[in-house]
Amino acid sequence: MASVFHHFLLVLVFLDTNAAQPFCVPGCTCSEESFGRTLQCVSVSLGKIPGNLSEEFKQVRIENSPLFELPQGSFVNMSTLEYLWLNFNNVSVIHLGALEHLPELRELRLEGNKLHSVPWTAFRATPLLKVLDLKRNKIDALPELALQFLANLTYLDLSSNRLTVVSKSVFLNWPAYQKPQQPGCGAKIISSLVVALHDNPWVCDCRLRGLVQFVKSITLPVILVNSYLICRGPLSKAGQLFHETELSTCMKPQISTPSANVTIRVGQNVTLRCLAQASPSPTIAWTYPLSMWREFDVLTSSTGEDTALSELVIPAAHLVDSGNYTCTASNSIGKSALVISLHVQPAQTLPALDSLSIPSEGSAYIDLRVVKQTVHGILLEWLAVADTPEEEWFTLYVASDEAIRKEVVHIGPGINTYAVDDLLPGTKYEACLSLEGQPPHQGQCVVFVTGRDGIGLEARERLLHVTVVLCVVLLAVPVGAYAWAAQGPCSCSKWVLRCCPHRRKAPSCPHAATPCRDGSFREHPAVCDDGEGHRDTEGDKEKEGMEDNS
């Protein structure tokens, strides 16, 4: 009886011990450390933060997992968590309420994830946070008030991200940086503020001037992990250290041009120039009335620091190119515009050799395009400007080598579109537009190919399918059938004649007919050609009858 009671007590102790052990996520390890209970999930396939984690955990470490986001309420019932390490995962999104219920959080490490931005106001829920590690992400911007809720932060790592420009106000607005600057703080021991900003693609122009000055004058308690910050751009500053570079103040673009009024003759080449000075370097764009139809080359080069030259090249100018050309330079500070007027005059005509000179025909600038295309039709659009002030009529030609007729349409003044229907599918056409009574010249035509007909393609696909099936059936005929035909008392020719009905026109067969041993089946015209096959069949029949009579 005593032994039974002893075993019963052992079972109770065992059950009580197992009941006392907290839950651990499958595939992860749980351990007791000096600061409390720890959950470690390394190289475990976790797509989200495990739910219903024990409140006893002081540290959660999830690394090398497919974790891709931190949704709102990810850490419910974990109010005592102090260390959250989520390094080398695929986290690309942190929702605004993701850090709620973490009032005791001291460390947040997100190294090696895919964050493009961080919801900085989410740190309102973590007032005791001291360590924020965001290195090796893809963060490309830092708002001026990013650190306003990180008053107790002592370590900030933003290295190896994609930061190009950061305002010094980010640090001037940081409460942890403002503490030592306040009156009466000189005698107090202030914790060091360690900041890592290296290995970012810094663009050292006027926008970074404040941060460069801040880095140059930085003193305790702020400590840079690597004080050798290097400029990545622009080209004139690439490779320079922050301590070596001098940056100018930002300014709106200022534009100038050698000539605001340009006059040329028809057929001459002309280059319009626009010089812009700005900081940061400006972006220059050209606009003019016929930019949708007349596309010209634009050459932009840097003539010095914060200075750019843009050239619009117009080859063989036409009367239609006359007008105002606007050069617009813009940067992050503002934009400016300058108008250049181009006047294209008609070419000078040579005086007539005699009084019986023939008047010359008029000419026009014509740009013809296909704007919409279907299987059986197209929609044409054109820009046509005649040299003469009178309203001109135009002639549209649409022809093809495969089409029987050429379509000729007379177009009146004020019309610049025409739809052509009833074209052959999958056919090459040429459309030309010229002045009424004149043949089309070079550059006044456009070549196009109509689309494929879906019904025709279906028919060809069905024919191909039937051909493939027929070949498979022929290949599936037993070899013995061919052997029987070759070893029989008659030749393959006679076997074919006896099997095929006598009709006035024998059906044609595929060229790839199966050969017989004596070769007669391969060469017999009855299986290769319709007309000749019938005549040869009749001749063979008469020859067979003569042999039977003999």
Side-chain angles (χ1 to χ4, degrees):
M1 183 67 181
S3 61
V4 174
F5 181 73
H6 178 70
H7 286 296
F8 179 73
L9 288 178
L10 290 178
V11 171
L12 288 179
V13 172
F14 176 76
L15 293 176
D16 184 66
T17 303
N18 287 342
Q21 289 182 354
F23 169 76
C24 191
V25 179
C28 304
T29 59
C30 298
S31 61
E32 293 290 342
E33 303 294 338
S34 59
F35 50 81
R37 189 167 178 77
T38 299
L39 171 67
Q40 294 190 22
C41 302
V42 180
S43 300
V44 179
S45 183
L46 291 177
K48 62 180 182 178
I49 301 295
N52 301 323
L53 290 178
S54 174
E55 191 174 354
E56 297 180 356
F57 286 117
K58 295 294 184 179
Q59 182 187 50
V60 172
R61 178 184 177 189
I62 301 175
E63 297 182 354
N64 296 314
S65 75
L67 184 67
F68 66 93
E69 70 171 340
L70 298 181
Q72 184 175 1
S74 298
F75 304 97
V76 179
N77 300 325
M78 299 191 69
S79 59
T80 61
L81 186 66
E82 296 183 9
Y83 306 95
L84 179 58
W85 293 5
L86 302 174
N87 299 320
F88 306 109
N89 298 302
N90 293 321
V91 178
S92 58
V93 177
I94 300 178
H95 292 267
L96 189 60
L99 302 180
E100 291 178 350
H101 314 292
L102 296 176
E104 300 294 325
L105 190 65
R106 262 72 170 175
E107 286 189 14
L108 176 59
R109 297 184 181 272
L110 289 160
E111 176 185 356
N113 282 278
K114 298 179 180 179
L115 292 170
H116 288 269
S117 61
V118 176
W120 297 100
T121 55
F123 295 110
R124 191 196 302 263
T126 58
L128 301 181
L129 191 66
K130 292 184 175 296
V131 175
L132 179 58
D133 187 355
L134 296 170
K135 61 175 170 285
R136 294 188 179 91
N137 277 275
K138 300 179 180 180
I139 301 172
D140 55 6
L142 207 59
E144 290 190 359
L145 299 177
L147 308 180
Q148 63 175 331
F149 298 116
L150 297 169
N152 292 304
L153 198 68
T154 59
Y155 181 86
L156 174 63
D157 196 337
L158 290 166
S159 62
S160 301
N161 276 276
R162 297 180 178 178
L163 297 173
T164 56
V165 175
V166 170
S167 172
K168 69 175 181 179
S169 299
V170 173
F171 302 99
L172 297 181
N173 295 329
W174 186 12
Y177 176 78
Q178 294 174 352
K179 287 179 182 179
Q181 316 301 325
Q182 295 175 357
C185 294
K188 296 182 180 179
I189 300 177
I190 305 298
S191 300
S192 298
L193 305 178
V194 181
V195 180
L197 297 172
H198 55 279
D199 292 335
N200 279 288
W202 300 111
V203 176
C204 293
D205 57 26
C206 67
R207 296 170 296 175
L208 203 66
R209 185 169 182 262
L211 181 64
V212 170
Q213 292 177 344
F214 177 79
V215 170
K216 288 180 178 180
S217 61
I218 204 167
T219 57
L220 291 175
V222 179
I223 300 175
L224 289 178
V225 174
N226 185 346
S227 59
Y228 296 100
L229 303 183
I230 302 176
C231 301
R232 187 77 60 87
L235 290 177
S236 59
K237 302 289 186 180
Q240 292 186 12
L241 296 174
F242 277 23
H243 293 281
E244 300 173 348
T245 187
E246 293 294 336
L247 301 177
S248 59
T249 57
C250 294
M251 68 175 182
K252 179 182 175 180
Q254 298 178 356
I255 308 178
S256 61
T257 182
S259 178
N261 288 279
V262 180
T263 302
I264 59 172
R265 299 230 177 242
V266 170
Q268 290 184 338
N269 302 333
V270 63
T271 300
L272 306 182
R273 293 176 174 84
C274 176
L275 185 66
Q277 186 176 8
S279 182
S281 298
T283 300
I284 302 178
W286 290 86
T287 56
Y288 46 95
L290 296 180
S291 57
M292 295 296 295
W293 292 94
R294 300 277 282 170
E295 297 180 2
F296 303 121
D297 292 335
V298 176
L299 307 177
T300 304
S301 59
S302 178
T303 59
E305 188 174 355
D306 300 331
T307 304
L309 173 65
S310 182
E311 298 177 315
L312 181 71
V313 181
I314 304 176
H318 194 274
L319 291 176
V320 72
D321 295 324
S322 296
N324 292 332
Y325 291 73
T326 303
C327 168
T328 303
S330 59
N331 63 4
S332 58
I333 308 302
K335 64 179 180 179
S336 300
L338 177 69
V339 177
I340 301 176
S341 298
L342 176 63
H343 307 277
V344 182
Q345 298 179 348
Q348 291 181 344
T349 57
L350 295 175
L353 297 177
D354 51 45
S355 59
L356 299 178
S357 60
I358 302 175
S360 60
E361 296 180 340
S363 61
Y365 171 82
I366 296 176
D367 191 344
L368 181 64
R369 296 181 182 181
V370 177
V371 295
K372 186 177 180 181
Q373 184 170 341
T374 62
V375 174
H376 298 283
I378 60 165
L379 177 62
L380 295 171
E381 184 179 13
W382 60 84
L383 171 67
V385 180
D387 293 346
T388 58
E390 295 85 7
E391 293 184 341
E392 296 284 352
W393 281 69
F394 295 87
T395 304
L396 177 66
Y397 305 89
V398 180
S400 171
D401 295 338
E402 301 182 21
I404 300 177
R405 62 183 178 86
K406 176 189 293 185
E407 186 168 352
V408 180
V409 183
H410 300 283
I411 307 294
I415 300 175
N416 66 336
T417 59
Y418 186 78
V420 184
D421 299 321
D422 299 329
L423 300 178
L424 298 176
T427 304
K428 180 180 179 181
Y429 283 88
E430 183 181 34
C432 299
L433 185 70
S434 65
L435 279 174
E436 183 79 5
Q438 295 185 12
H441 302 294
Q442 184 178 4
Q444 298 179 351
C445 299
V446 61
V447 178
F448 61 92
V449 179
T450 53
R452 295 285 182 180
D453 191 351
I455 300 177
L457 288 175
E458 260 185 48
R460 284 190 288 271
E461 289 178 359
R462 287 198 297 269
L463 178 61
L464 178 61
H465 180 71
V466 171
T467 305
V468 171
V469 171
L470 179 60
C471 293
V472 171
V473 171
L474 290 176
L475 292 175
V477 175
V479 180
Y482 302 112
W484 170 80
Q487 295 175 1
C490 61
S491 64
C492 284
S493 303
K494 295 179 180 180
W495 180 76
V496 171
L497 292 175
R498 291 177 182 177
C499 294
C500 298
H502 301 298
R503 291 178 295 181
R504 297 193 60 84
K505 187 174 182 181
S508 61
C509 302
H511 293 289
T514 306
C516 297
R517 290 187 179 180
D518 59 358
S520 60
F521 185 55
R522 182 181 66 250
E523 299 173 359
H524 201 281
V527 297
C528 299
D529 190 274
D530 292 347
E532 295 180 1
H534 176 69
R535 291 193 294 272
D536 291 344
T537 301
E538 296 295 337
D540 290 343
K541 182 177 180 182
E542 294 177 0
K543 187 182 296 184
E544 182 182 358
M546 293 175 61
E547 291 178 356
D548 293 341
N549 293 334
S550 60

